[in-house]
Amino acid sequence: MNAMTRTLPATMAAVLLTGHGGPEKLVYRSDVKVPAPAPGEVLVKVSACGMNNTDVWVRQGAYGTEEDAAAVSTWRRQGNTLTFPRIQGTDTVGTVAAVGEGVSPDHIGERVMVDFSIYNRDDDSLADVDYMGHGRDGGYAEYQAVPAENAHVVDTELTDVELATFCCAYLTGEQMLERAALKAGERVLVTGASGGVGSGIVQLARARGAIPYAVVGKGKEQAVLDIGAEAVITRGVADLPHAVNEATGGQPIDVVADLVGGAIFNDLLRILRPEGRYTTAGAIAGPVVQLDLRTMYLKQLQLHGSSQGTRADFRRIVGYIEAKKIRPLVGGVYKLSDFHHAQADFIAKDFVGKLVVVPDAMWDSAD
């Protein structure tokens, strides 16, 4: 470790996930050992970390298995890498406080946004991808060690809290649109459009020159229109295909970007034009759905599963931020020590955009 780390504390505050289960499995402690950056790594002093659905599902063990959809299981299908206790948190923003062997000390003091992906490969395949907060510790802490190549300086005037709204949600959304090959001028229907990923997809679609239509909960319509939705459909309408057709003026939907699943799944396939593309990275309304294969093959549909994103996706997100093509949506900010309250509010979904937690020691400097 670089000699400039002598002023670092020996212990830190962090939220530890101690096992699968309820919120009681999340324990706030102030005596967690500060990690030392390994060769090729940097130590980030965390100033903000965004929250995500994956945090909740991993805590609950809600991912099932291919053999048993109801089994308690963690996120990866390729082999479990989660051990307890684990510090979750993917969307870290902070300042480089120390560097490991082989990393220039010139990086100390840089403000960085962390690419949370553990790629496990040199190419763009996501077949063996993992992430920080699962396969290694994440950012719900005062310090986090990360590979130096994952710590990115972003040329922006956004605050740390604002910058912490992008990474996981927008990276996930960008890869969904990449898999579906959404092009300029095409129409995309986004479900769950007021959440982190959904609101990100609305903006990312506009950044591509595409036209986003959004399905949102009651009371959130205007907020989603304000970030670029062409029109919104309130969740729970009696006839979703008819409502979407009305919203588009009878124009076809080329892509569905679905984060909801559940009972509306077959309606979403009905809404797609022939040769349309369906892409999903979430299922907050229910992961097990009925698929009429006749709809899929008679309409020549493509169905894409997606999770996280590639290094190239992350670079595009940084570019969009720097070009001000996407903007942050901060739905609330919480102290790290108030994590149970933060996650309860996250689960309640009475917000638009992203919730962010801030270490207590950084609270006074958070905007």
Side-chain angles (χ1 to χ4, degrees), residues 53-246:
N53 277 315
T54 307
D55 302 329
V56 181
W57 281 43
V58 167
R59 169 174 61 75
Q60 295 171 337
Y63 284 98
T65 65
E66 293 180 2
E67 298 80 16
D68 180 3
V72 174
S73 179
T74 189
W75 178 82
R76 273 172 56 94
R77 286 289 195 261
Q78 308 92 324
N80 181 38
T81 59
L82 176 66
T83 57
F84 302 114
R86 172 65 74 221
I87 300 172
Q88 295 181 286
T90 60
D91 294 1
T92 299
V93 173
T95 303
V96 175
V99 298
E101 181 183 344
V103 180
S104 170
D106 292 345
H107 291 291
I108 293 174
E110 290 180 341
R111 185 180 76 151
V112 295
M113 179 172 73
V114 174
D115 178 357
F116 67 103
S117 295
I118 302 172
Y119 292 102
N120 291 322
R121 297 172 61 124
D122 294 329
D123 59 15
D124 273 346
S125 170
L126 297 174
D128 194 34
V129 73
D130 200 351
Y131 70 90
M132 300 175 199
H134 184 276
R136 63 181 289 166
D137 285 338
Y140 293 149
E142 292 183 302
Y143 291 90
Q144 179 186 358
V146 305
E149 65 183 8
N150 288 65
H152 296 260
V153 175
V154 183
D155 183 12
T156 177
E157 296 177 354
L158 295 176
T159 67
D160 293 358
V161 166
E162 290 172 331
L163 199 55
T165 63
F166 290 113
C167 185
C168 181
Y170 286 66
L171 185 67
T172 298
E174 181 69 5
Q175 176 61 197
M176 289 174 70
L177 299 184
E178 276 292 289
R179 287 188 181 275
L182 181 68
K183 299 185 289 292
E186 290 191 316
R187 295 171 183 83
V188 54
L189 180 68
V190 186
T191 67
S194 63
V197 181
S199 60
I201 291 174
V202 170
Q203 296 192 69
L204 292 167
R206 284 295 186 190
R208 289 170 173 249
I211 307 167
Y213 295 82
V215 181
V216 301
K218 188 174 182 179
K220 300 176 181 178
E221 295 91 345
Q222 189 59 50
V224 177
L225 286 168
D226 289 346
I227 60 169
E230 186 77 6
V232 297
I233 300 94
T234 304
R235 187 181 66 235
V237 294
D239 188 340
L240 183 60
H242 175 74
V244 172
N245 191 61
E246 288 283 306

Side-chain angles (χ1 to χ4, degrees), residues 6-48:
R6 292 174 183 169
T7 58
L8 290 175
T11 60
M12 66 179 182
V15 174
L16 301 181
L17 177 65
T18 59
H20 293 306
E24 73 281 357
K25 296 296 185 180
L26 295 165
V27 179
Y28 178 80
R29 288 175 47 180
S30 57
D31 61 349
V32 179
K33 184 178 179 181
V34 172
E41 295 185 348
V42 299
L43 182 69
V44 176
K45 183 177 182 180
V46 179
S47 52

